[in-house]
């Protein structure tokens, strides 16, 4: 059951009348009604107008307040019966209708602003001084817009920037985890992208919630699966009859020594190898980040190339996405044949829900294209100076790199102890 009570704050004449909406479920919203009153004609105890025969306007004001009270209570009951989520924007909308206001700016709403924000991204100056963003980044912003649209549909409301405070953040996170069944990391990343759009709106003069700065994206610690040198050697030596699996095996092994994303690995060809003095390197511009990197060709990679007459293995499809999909399928088969059947902690996509689920799985089930770059980074961390590893993997910061391989400050201490000879 909802109730509305009116109150005033000041003693000046005239002073504004405010309303307080409260309900049994804990909803509590305050808002100015825009009505004014002489404080001596307002009963602070019961929140009502003190009627006076000499002051005819007080009767009209009293009637207006009672009509407003009735409108809000009826609207609340109707909205809640339909499963709605009462927010500040819902109350604002009720008041706009009651007072027949039509001065609303569509950019006050998250989705409408996000539409324009996304349209401008391809020509927007980025922090590195370039123009535009990676396709993957564009995709993430489109995803957060779509999730907000689904959230609004589920809560039967439209979200203004002034709604996006801590209460909203908690409810939106619940929506992502429960309704959308996303992983904690994906939800944390979505909160981060949500806040980025809000901050851009703030820079452009849009009013935002005073708690916006307190909203934080986050990363939950997860088990980072990689192939050790021993496991890579097992994969190298496994007997395979299928040419397709042999190609997949060689790409997988080379990937663990080249440290590149699959989108940069599979397009490699012999003509990409250049000589820098006596060194053989592959120079490429990473598709995701547009970073230029020079990758030294590891002896293991040369060994595989030499066994193939200097050529890279054949790929699986002319279509880029199909090529990656088939690579993922085939390297799992290779890993299983190589004996990676022991159980480890990890996460994989559940085909029924299309969501990543943590659990205990046989290791071959967790082998995917991502394992190439992560194995390179993890295996050589502590043996090769981190800045050199970053120059190959393309990570922007050491912090990003350490998060990627699941290292923390204690690992720094352990590495230092190793160099100092402390047991």
């Amino acid at each position: 059951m909802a109730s509305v009570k009116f109150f005033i704050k000041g003693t000046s004449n005239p002073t504004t009348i405010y309303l307080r909406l409260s309900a049994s479920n804990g909803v509590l919203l305050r808002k100015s009604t825009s009505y004014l009153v002489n404080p001596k004609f307002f009963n602070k105890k019961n929140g009502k107008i003190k009627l006076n025969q000499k002051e005819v306007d007080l009767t009209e004001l009293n009637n207006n307040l009672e009509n407003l009270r009735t409108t809000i209570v009826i609207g609340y009951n109707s909205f809640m019966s339909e499963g709605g989520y009462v927010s500040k924007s819902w109350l604002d909308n009720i008041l706009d209708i009651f007072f027949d206001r039509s001065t609303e700016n569509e950019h006050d709403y998250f989705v409408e602003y996000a539409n324009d924000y996304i349209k401008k991204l391809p020509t927007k100056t980025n922090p590195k001084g370039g123009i535009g963003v990676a396709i993957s980044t564009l995709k993430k912003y489109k995803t957060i817009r779509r999730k907000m649209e689904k959230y609004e549909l589920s809560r039967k409301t439209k979200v203004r920037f002034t709604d996006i405070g801590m209460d909203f953040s908690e409810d939106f996170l619940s929506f992502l985890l429960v309704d959308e069944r996303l992983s904690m990391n994906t939800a944390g990343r979505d909160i981060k992208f949500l806040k980025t759009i809000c901050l851009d709106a703030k820079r452009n003069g849009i009013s935002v919630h005073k708690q916006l700065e307190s909203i934080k994206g986050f990363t939950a610690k997860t088990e980072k699966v990689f192939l050790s040198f021993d496991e890579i050697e097992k994969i190298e030596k496994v007997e395979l009859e299928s040419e397709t699996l042999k190609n997949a095996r060689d790409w997988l092994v080379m990937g663990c020594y080249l440290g590149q994303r699959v989108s940069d690995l599979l397009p490699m060809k012999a003509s990409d190898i250049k000589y820098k003095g006596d060194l053989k390197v592959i120079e490429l511009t990473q598709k995701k980040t547009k970073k230029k990197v020079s990758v030294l060709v590891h002896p293991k990679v040369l060994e595989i190339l030499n066994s193939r007459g200097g050529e890279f293995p054949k790929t699986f499809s002319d279509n880029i996405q199909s090529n990656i999909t088939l690579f993922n399928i085939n390297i799992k088969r290779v890993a299983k044949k190589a004996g990676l059947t022991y159980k480890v902690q990890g996460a994989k996509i559940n085909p029924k829900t299309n969501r990543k689920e943590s659990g205990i799985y046989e290791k071959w089930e967790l082998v995917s294209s991502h394992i190439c770059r992560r194995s390179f980074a993890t295996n050589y961390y502590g043996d090769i100076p981190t800045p050199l590893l970053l120059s190959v993997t393309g990570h922007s910061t050491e912090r990003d790199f350490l998060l990627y391989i699941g290292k923390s400050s204690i690992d720094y201490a352990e590495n230092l102890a190793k160099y100092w000879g402390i047991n």
Side-chain angles (χ1 to χ4, degrees):
M1 185 68 181
S3 65
V4 173
K5 186 173 181 178
F6 298 105
F7 64 97
I8 59 175
K9 294 180 179 180
T11 57
S12 59
N13 181 26
T15 190
T16 302
I17 300 175
Y18 294 84
L19 69 85
R20 181 189 296 112
L21 169 64
S22 55
S24 55
N25 64 358
V27 173
L28 185 61
L29 298 170
R30 295 179 178 86
K31 187 73 179 174
S32 166
T33 66
S34 299
Y35 287 125
L36 300 173
V37 68
N38 184 331
K40 74 177 186 179
F41 295 124
F42 190 85
N43 187 326
K44 291 185 178 181
K45 222 170 194 180
N46 61 21
K48 295 185 177 181
I49 301 297
K50 297 176 184 177
L51 298 179
N52 188 311
Q53 290 183 347
K54 294 180 180 179
E55 301 288 341
V56 180
D57 291 344
L58 292 177
T59 301
E60 184 181 354
L61 176 58
N62 186 64
N63 290 338
N64 288 338
L65 290 176
E66 288 306 312
N67 287 337
L68 178 57
R69 187 199 310 274
T70 302
T71 299
I72 293 172
V73 171
I74 291 174
Y76 175 89
N77 292 336
S78 173
F79 193 58
M80 291 300 288
S81 69
E82 296 172 357
Y85 172 73
V86 171
S87 64
K88 183 177 175 295
S89 65
W90 172 84
L91 183 55
D92 286 341
N93 189 51
I94 289 285
L95 294 174
D96 287 343
I97 294 170
F98 183 84
F99 290 107
D100 194 24
R101 296 169 182 158
S102 57
T103 57
E104 193 173 80
N105 181 353
E106 66 171 14
H107 280 167
D108 290 338
Y109 290 94
F110 182 90
V111 170
E112 282 70 15
Y113 187 90
N115 287 334
D116 280 353
Y117 180 84
I118 291 166
K119 284 178 188 174
K120 293 173 184 174
L121 281 177
T123 55
K124 189 180 177 74
T125 303
N126 60 46
K128 297 170 187 173
I131 300 294
V133 296
I135 292 173
S136 58
T137 301
L138 187 63
K139 209 180 204 177
K140 285 168 186 172
Y141 280 111
K142 287 181 177 178
T143 298
I144 193 64
R145 177 191 60 189
R146 186 174 68 252
K147 286 173 183 173
M148 181 62 85
E149 288 172 334
K150 291 176 76 173
Y151 172 84
E152 290 183 334
L153 195 61
S154 74
R155 301 300 194 260
K156 295 183 171 61
T157 190
K158 283 179 68 65
V159 177
R160 286 183 170 97
F161 284 106
T162 49
D163 297 325
I164 302 176
M166 294 304 293
D167 287 345
F168 169 85
S169 177
E170 290 172 10
D171 190 61
F172 188 60
L173 178 60
S174 173
F175 166 79
L176 295 174
L177 295 174
V178 179
D179 295 40
E180 292 293 288
R181 302 175 71 180
L182 300 179
S183 70
M184 191 66 78
N185 270 331
T186 302
R189 184 195 66 197
D190 286 345
I191 296 289
K192 176 185 171 185
F193 278 87
L194 170 88
K195 184 177 179 180
T196 299
I197 295 176
C198 292
L199 290 173
D200 189 80
K202 182 181 178 181
R203 284 191 291 270
N204 284 295
I206 305 294
S207 295
V208 298
H209 199 288
K210 62 184 179 182
Q211 294 176 341
L212 176 62
E213 294 296 338
S214 299
I215 296 174
K216 306 289 182 186
F218 56 87
T219 302
K221 187 171 176 60
T222 56
E223 197 65 35
K224 308 293 185 182
V225 178
F226 69 99
L227 296 173
S228 67
F229 285 126
D230 287 342
E231 289 170 327
I232 296 170
E233 189 176 355
K234 281 184 182 178
I235 289 169
E236 281 182 80
K237 293 180 177 179
V238 65
E239 292 291 330
L240 301 169
E241 294 182 3
S242 161
E243 281 302 315
T244 298
L245 292 186
K246 288 178 182 178
N247 288 329
R249 184 260 317 276
D250 287 355
W251 276 119
L252 174 58
V253 172
M254 289 194 300
C256 291
Y257 288 104
L258 290 169
Q260 300 305 302
R261 296 179 183 88
V262 67
S263 56
D264 297 311
L265 175 68
L266 293 181
M268 287 181 182
K269 50 190 183 295
S271 58
D272 292 329
I273 299 176
K274 310 295 181 187
Y275 283 88
K276 297 290 181 181
D278 294 330
L279 302 177
K280 288 184 177 181
V281 300
I282 297 173
E283 294 183 336
L284 58 92
T285 300
Q286 294 180 331
K287 286 183 171 60
K288 181 177 179 179
T289 62
K290 307 304 178 190
K291 284 187 176 180
K292 290 183 178 180
V293 297
S294 293
V295 184
L296 183 65
V297 180
H298 190 279
K300 285 283 185 184
V301 176
L302 284 175
E303 189 180 310
I304 292 172
L305 292 176
N306 290 337
S307 73
R308 291 177 166 274
E311 296 296 327
F312 279 83
K314 290 182 180 179
T315 50
F316 312 96
S317 171
D318 292 331
N319 178 276
I320 296 172
Q321 197 52 54
S322 296
N323 199 24
I324 293 172
T325 300
L326 290 169
F327 176 61
N328 276 309
I329 291 170
N330 287 311
I331 59 177
K332 281 181 172 61
R333 293 173 179 166
V334 170
K336 188 175 184 180
K337 285 181 177 291
L340 274 63
T341 53
Y342 38 87
K343 294 188 175 182
V344 297
Q345 178 74 39
K348 69 170 191 171
I349 298 291
N350 182 332
K352 292 180 180 178
T353 62
N354 201 31
R355 300 295 186 206
K356 187 171 278 191
E357 296 179 3
S358 296
I360 304 294
Y361 303 99
E362 291 190 5
K363 187 154 187 180
W364 67 268
E365 297 179 83
L366 304 175
V367 172
S368 69
S369 59
H370 298 294
I371 211 165
C372 296
R373 186 165 172 250
R374 183 168 283 126
S375 297
F376 173 86
T378 307
N379 286 330
Y380 286 113
Y381 173 73
D383 291 331
I384 294 176
T386 305
L388 285 179
L389 293 178
L390 266 65
S391 73
V392 176
T393 63
H395 284 97
S396 298
T397 66
E398 189 167 343
R399 179 180 176 276
D400 290 342
F401 176 84
L402 293 175
L403 283 172
Y404 179 70
I405 62 175
K407 298 294 182 182
S408 63
S409 57
I410 190 63
D411 296 289
Y412 276 121
E414 289 172 353
N415 281 331
L416 196 57
K418 181 174 70 175
Y419 285 119
W420 286 353
I422 301 173
N423 294 326

